[in-house]
Amino acid sequence: MGKRKSRAKPAPRKRMDKLDTVFSCPFCNHGSSVECRIDMKNFIGEASCRICQESFSTTVTALTEAIDIYSEWIDECERVNTVDDDGVPVEDDAA
């Protein structure tokens, strides 16, 4: 008689690192002063600086994280600050 084959244990699940929820402000450059809040009831995400009181809000989905709100704020700041050689704001043709 042979020995029963033992069943291999399943591989342990890898844990995902937690993403940041506080960031540096693009206006006052103060580190860890921007806090992102997500209101899933109203589908609104808000990033606000505790030092200079600047804020940004956007619509969110079920998959939105705090880093997504902050990234949208940075992208919007860059879009507003981008100026053509003639001094005219650059229009995004993709939209």
Side-chain angles (χ1 to χ4, degrees), residues 38-75:
I38 300 174
D39 181 10
M40 288 307 294
K41 188 181 236 183
N42 297 321
F43 298 106
I44 294 174
E46 182 181 19
S48 59
C49 178
R50 289 176 270 163
I51 306 300
C52 67
Q53 306 302 318
E54 285 291 330
S55 64
F56 173 79
S57 62
T58 185
T59 57
V60 296
T61 64
L63 300 176
T64 304
E65 295 286 335
I67 186 70
D68 300 322
I69 297 167
Y70 181 72
S71 297
E72 283 187 38
W73 190 14
I74 297 299
D75 292 342

Side-chain angles (χ1 to χ4, degrees), residues 28-44:
C28 67
N29 291 326
H30 196 277
S32 302
S33 64
V34 174
E35 185 177 50
C36 296
R37 288 183 293 281
I38 300 174
D39 181 10
M40 288 307 294
K41 188 181 236 183
N42 297 321
F43 298 106
I44 294 174

Side-chain angles (χ1 to χ4, degrees), residues 83-89:
V83 178
D84 199 4
D85 293 337
D86 302 332
V88 179

Side-chain angles (χ1 to χ4, degrees), residues 75-93:
D75 292 342
E76 187 66 20
C77 289
E78 288 178 359
R79 187 189 67 78
V80 169
N81 291 332
T82 303
V83 178
D84 199 4
D85 293 337
D86 302 332
V88 179
V90 175
E91 294 294 323
D92 189 12
D93 295 334

